[in-house]
Amino acid sequence: MSDIVPIRTALISVSDKSGLVEFAKALAARGTKILSTGGSAKMLREAGIAVTEVSEHTGFPEILDGRVKTLVPQVHGGILGKRHDPSHIAQMAEHGIAPIDLVAVNLYPFEATVARNAEFDDCIENIDIGGPAMIRSAAKNHEGVTVLTEPSHYARVLEEIDAHGGTTLSTRRSLAAAAYARTAAYDSAISSWFAAQLGESYPDRFSFSGAKKQELRYGENPHQSAAFYTSSPARFGVATATQHQGKELSYNNYNDTDAAFECVAEFDEPAVVIVKHANPCGVATGTSTAAAWDLALACDPVSAFGGIVALNRTLDEETATKIVTIFTEVIIAPDATEGAKQVLAAKKNLRLLTTGGVPSPTQEGMTFKSLAGGFLVQNRDAGRVTAEALKIVTQRAPTAAELEDMLFAFRVAKHVKSNAIVYTKNRATIGVGAGQMNRVDSARIAAWRGKEAKLDFTGCAVASDAFFPFADGLEAAIAAGASCVIQPGGSIRDKEVIEAANKAGIAMVFTNMRHFRH
């Protein structure tokens, strides 16, 4: 028995009408009878294509404002009937059910309706019922039926018809798998929306889906495979980026680039962030991105080699000229001038990404982390400390300049792996200590790196992502030259830490907000 299935009858009912007329014309030219519904049938008829309305084919009219039009035996029997089962063939003949060989269906735009903040009832009406039912039926019976859920599938099917007189089993199985993935993603979007409407951040069953944007060369290491998937709702960043030059991004490139862009989005002034291995090694704001670059690079020029650079403004020619003086893997920015692109063109391996915007640091959302046998879900760390929320706990209050530097440092610390210590001066990092097992080492390493770069720590600000459990971490920061400190507070030894600050004559404020990043 041949695995080739000729396409004698096709049912077409699509919301996304991209390429619809061309596809239907090609099928009709190859002798395929076309069944269709509603807007799809109207569009095809206006294009001069012979179409049979589904209601005419079934002898049953569309009812309930179109909610019921394909949920009838003449449609689902024609899709689900086994082509080589004598019993099925006999039953179909008895009930006047004609086989349907191809189902081209894409779904009501539920996700797009939700994305435009439509009213509840509008969202409900954009939940497709007949579409998913036909898709799932056709996918189940893929041995005899071809199912298409995306306009991108059309060309492949036409090529097979021309080459073989029908579709092959391998293609039908591939399209069936894609069909079930699509209906799963659709149902996931609906269930997530319903949970949000009910105020359930963590429902009993949690599902999420993504669309593959790119299969990567490998994962964190060459022996690991990887791919990049995009999800909704949209957020400016690597998912919205256009790559202008350079080789494909790796798994680590994506991870580090995302970290850099999320960090640079924290600042309203022109800012530059340099990231290496997911941690900022230089962060600064300035009167321009070119000025901010100089300050960010000065923090740790050794680690910046081979790093990722993020800007929160359009990349201009002056800044691009400065960046290319050192080896850089990726530059990500909302946009880039033609002059900047020309400068970077000389560096063939440097990737330039433009995103169209900057993500909001306070935007709500979810993050995920896999564990053995499951995954953790939490809402994104969208917390932001303001000057009004700070509690001064020392005898000396910070000056206005110190307050600015402390808030700047704490925003950077939010994006540094715990335990995190960040020294800043004049709204630029001068030392970053990341990922140490104790806070004292983070404080010492951050100071050592900054002083290796010959930066002046006298009168600097220091931020800690979590409280100092003992006074020793604070004392290490004071020894480095800090004159003010910002930290969450909340340790059982806060009194001891405050006393150490008062003894040294520095100012200290509590945020009552922690920024662990693991």
Side-chain angles (χ1 to χ4, degrees), residues 79-131:
I79 297 172
L80 284 165
K82 294 181 180 179
R83 305 308 196 257
H84 302 289
D85 186 319
S87 173
H88 281 213
I89 293 170
Q91 290 177 65
M92 291 170 73
E94 178 185 355
H95 296 288
I97 296 174
I100 296 171
D101 309 303
L102 180 146
V103 173
V105 173
N106 53 61
L107 306 174
Y108 292 172
F110 176 81
E111 297 100 328
T113 304
V114 171
R116 62 178 171 82
N117 296 315
E119 295 294 326
F120 183 91
D121 288 347
D122 195 8
C123 292
I124 291 294
E125 288 308 314
N126 275 279
I127 296 176
D128 204 330
I129 302 300

Side-chain angles (χ1 to χ4, degrees), residues 392-400 402 406 483-484 505-509:
I392 300 170
V393 295
T394 49
Q395 294 166 359
R396 184 172 80 78
T399 65
E402 287 176 327
M406 285 192 293
S483 68
C484 56
I506 72 165
M508 184 161 64
V509 298

Side-chain angles (χ1 to χ4, degrees), residues 195-497:
Q197 297 304 302
L198 296 170
E200 296 178 355
S201 298
Y202 307 103
D204 291 342
R205 286 191 177 273
F206 196 103
S207 64
F208 56 94
S209 66
K212 186 168 74 174
K213 182 174 183 179
Q214 182 183 352
E215 198 155 325
L216 307 178
R217 288 173 292 156
Y218 53 82
E220 281 186 283
N221 301 290
H223 62 277
Q224 296 172 267
S225 60
F228 175 45
Y229 288 79
T230 60
S231 60
S232 58
R235 182 173 172 81
F236 288 121
V238 291
T240 64
T242 298
Q243 183 171 345
H244 297 275
Q245 66 171 64
K247 59 186 178 182
E248 289 185 350
L249 272 71
S250 69
Y251 179 97
N252 293 330
N253 290 152
Y254 271 115
N255 192 49
D256 290 353
T257 302
D258 180 69
F261 206 50
E262 290 287 356
C263 184
V264 83
E266 293 282 352
F267 307 104
D268 299 324
E269 308 87 346
V272 170
V273 171
I274 308 171
V275 158
K276 191 70 170 289
H277 296 298
N279 278 303
C281 60
V283 181
T285 61
T287 55
S288 66
T289 54
W293 163 260
D294 291 337
L295 295 169
L297 178 63
C299 178
D300 189 353
V302 174
S303 297
F305 183 84
I308 308 292
V309 177
L311 299 84
N312 64 357
R313 295 288 194 279
T314 295
L315 175 67
D316 57 33
E317 186 174 350
E318 181 186 3
T319 309
T321 301
K322 288 175 176 287
I323 293 173
V324 297
T325 59
I326 69 166
F327 170 54
T328 300
E329 289 273 9
V330 181
I331 300 174
I332 184 169
D335 202 355
T337 66
E338 288 305 315
K341 292 176 184 177
Q342 289 175 15
V343 170
L344 301 185
K347 302 290 183 179
K348 299 299 183 184
N349 290 329
L350 191 160
R351 293 85 145 193
L352 170 63
L353 305 180
T354 58
T355 62
V358 177
S360 167
T362 58
Q363 180 182 335
E364 293 296 328
M366 293 292 184
T367 64
F368 309 90
K369 181 179 177 61
S370 63
L371 301 179
F375 56 91
L376 294 172
V377 182
Q378 67 173 347
N379 67 319
R380 181 183 293 114
D381 183 358
R384 170 170 279 194
V385 171
T386 62
E388 294 74 24
L390 299 178
K391 179 183 179 182
I392 300 170
V393 295
T394 49
Q395 294 166 359
R396 184 172 80 78
T399 65
E402 287 176 327
L403 188 60
E404 280 194 0
D405 270 345
M406 285 192 293
L407 288 168
F408 177 90
F410 201 63
R411 286 190 187 180
V412 175
K414 174 181 172 182
H415 296 271
V416 178
K417 300 288 187 180
S418 299
N419 287 317
I421 293 289
V422 176
Y423 295 96
T424 62
K425 196 169 186 179
N426 299 322
R427 297 181 65 78
T429 56
I430 56 174
V432 179
Q436 299 306 305
M437 287 69 75
N438 69 73
R439 207 158 290 279
V440 182
D441 283 350
S442 289
R444 289 170 176 163
I445 289 170
W448 168 73
R449 282 178 173 156
K451 290 180 179 181
E452 280 282 301
K454 297 181 170 55
L455 298 174
D456 181 12
F457 274 62
T458 305
C460 68
V462 63
S464 176
D465 64 339
F467 62 64
F468 288 100
F470 301 94
D472 52 1
L474 175 64
E475 288 166 348
I478 294 168
S483 68
C484 56
V485 59
I486 183 171
Q487 59 132 321
S491 168
I492 60 172
R493 294 184 176 84
D494 274 348
K495 184 178 179 181
E496 174 186 326
V497 175

